[in-house]
Structures are given as structure tokens and as C-alpha cells.
Amino acid sequence: VQLAESGGGWVQTGGSLRLSCAASGSTFEHFAMGWFRQAPGKEREFLASVSWNGANEYIANSVIGRFTISRDTNMMYLQMNSLKPEDTAVYYCVADRDFCAGYGCRPADFGSWGQGTQVTVSS
């Protein structure tokens, strides 16, 4: 599965952005997908995931109530509202055959990664 993120950019505190992830490949329809982010000097943080059919979703406690995940055909989205400076990071789209949800999901649990898109939130 090949993944490509878009939609990152600069926004002021309290603003919104919607990240998109375009997936391609012969079997991506059966892949679970998700989002990580990595802020400067910090480890990659698991944010959200959605199962292959959209029936199951997970949002990390750190962003619940502000971020939502969705998918449609060959696209996945991360709607980010009420953005804060601490949301500044590179955001990565990920995919894997197995659906991972919860605090214990690690980067190694996802076999496919996009190149990342920068999100900068100014105070």
C-alpha cells in the first residue's frame, strides 16, 4: 500500500485543518489505517485509527473531542479542530492489515507509512 498525505500547513491557535491521505495499491481496501505525529525532539505519537470497513475507530485521549478520523473509498481524513501549539508536528498516515487501537499501538504495528505532512500551530 502506498500512502500520500496532504493538507498540512500553518494555522493559528483555535483553528482547524483537515489532513488527507490518499491510498493506492491492489488490496488497500482491506487495510486498517491511522495517523501518527512526531513533534521535534519527541517520539512518534499514535493518534487515531480506523478499521478497513470503517466500523471501528479509535482516537487517542490526547486529542479526543478535537480530532476525528474517517475514510472513504481510497481516502482517509483527519479533521483537526481547536488546534493548539502543542499539536505542531509532522503528521503521518499509516496502514496495516491488522487494526490496532489503544494506547499500546506502536509505529512497528503499521507496515505502510506516508512521507508526512507538517502542521504548525502558532500561538
Side-chain angles (χ1 to χ4, degrees), residues 11-17 63 65-67 79-87 121:
V11 65
Q12 289 185 324
T13 296
S16 298
L17 283 174
V63 298
R66 299 190 299 122
F67 291 13
Q79 178 67 42
M80 306 186 295
N81 299 325
S82 302
L83 284 162
K84 307 173 183 180
E86 50 264 43
D87 294 318
V121 185

Side-chain angles (χ1 to χ4, degrees), residues 99-112:
F99 175 60
C100 187
Y103 181 77
C105 294
R106 306 160 300 160
D109 292 319
F110 295 88
S112 298

Side-chain angles (χ1 to χ4, degrees), residues 75-119:
M75 297 295 295
M76 180 183 62
Y77 306 97
L78 185 69
Q79 178 67 42
M80 306 186 295
N81 299 325
S82 302
L83 284 162
K84 307 173 183 180
E86 50 264 43
D87 294 318
T88 295
V90 177
Y91 285 70
Y92 296 92
C93 170
V94 296
D96 198 84
R97 293 186 181 275
D98 296 326
F99 175 60
C100 187
Y103 181 77
C105 294
R106 306 160 300 160
D109 292 319
F110 295 88
S112 298
W113 287 72
Q115 80 286 354
T117 185
Q118 176 71 46
V119 171

